[in-house]
Amino acid sequence: MDGRGRLRILSVDDDARTLETLEFFLEVDGHEIYTASRGHEAVTVARRLRRERKRVDLSILDYHMTDKPGSDTFFKLS
C-alpha cells in the first residue's frame, strides 16, 4: 500500500458482470486492480506480478468457480 492508501488488488470471479462492477468501484476509489476470470488465470497473473516485483495487497476470490474453487486458487496464490 502506498502513502495514499492505494492498494494493489487481484480480483477473481468467473461472472464477468461481477468482475467488471467490482473493478469499476475499486478503480474509482483509486486502487490498482488486476482481474482474472478463472483460478488458473489468477495464478498466472500473480506469478507475473511477482516477477515484476509488484506485491498484491489484497485478493478477492469467488469461492465457486468452474475451473478451480476459490480455496484451491488461494493456496496456489500463497
Side-chain angles (χ1 to χ4, degrees), residues 57-68:
D57 299 303
L58 175 67
S59 295
I60 302 171
L61 303 169
D62 178 4
Y63 188 79
H64 297 286
M65 290 186 282
T66 55
D67 74 323
K68 179 185 279 273

Side-chain angles (χ1 to χ4, degrees), residues 2 15 19 22-23 35 38 41 51 54 57-59:
D2 69 17
D15 181 295
L19 195 61
L22 188 57
E23 180 181 20
T35 61
R38 299 176 330 159
E41 182 184 356
R51 282 193 307 271
K54 294 181 178 177
D57 299 303
L58 175 67
S59 295

Side-chain angles (χ1 to χ4, degrees), residues 10-14 35-48 50-51 61-62 64-77:
L10 174 59
S11 179
V12 186
D13 199 310
D14 59 355
T35 61
S37 58
R38 299 176 330 159
H40 292 292
E41 182 184 356
V43 172
T44 300
V45 170
R47 287 179 179 159
R48 177 179 53 85
R50 279 190 202 120
R51 282 193 307 271
L61 303 169
D62 178 4
H64 297 286
M65 290 186 282
T66 55
D67 74 323
K68 179 185 279 273
S71 58
D72 288 352
T73 302
F74 172 78
F75 289 111
K76 293 280 186 181
L77 293 175

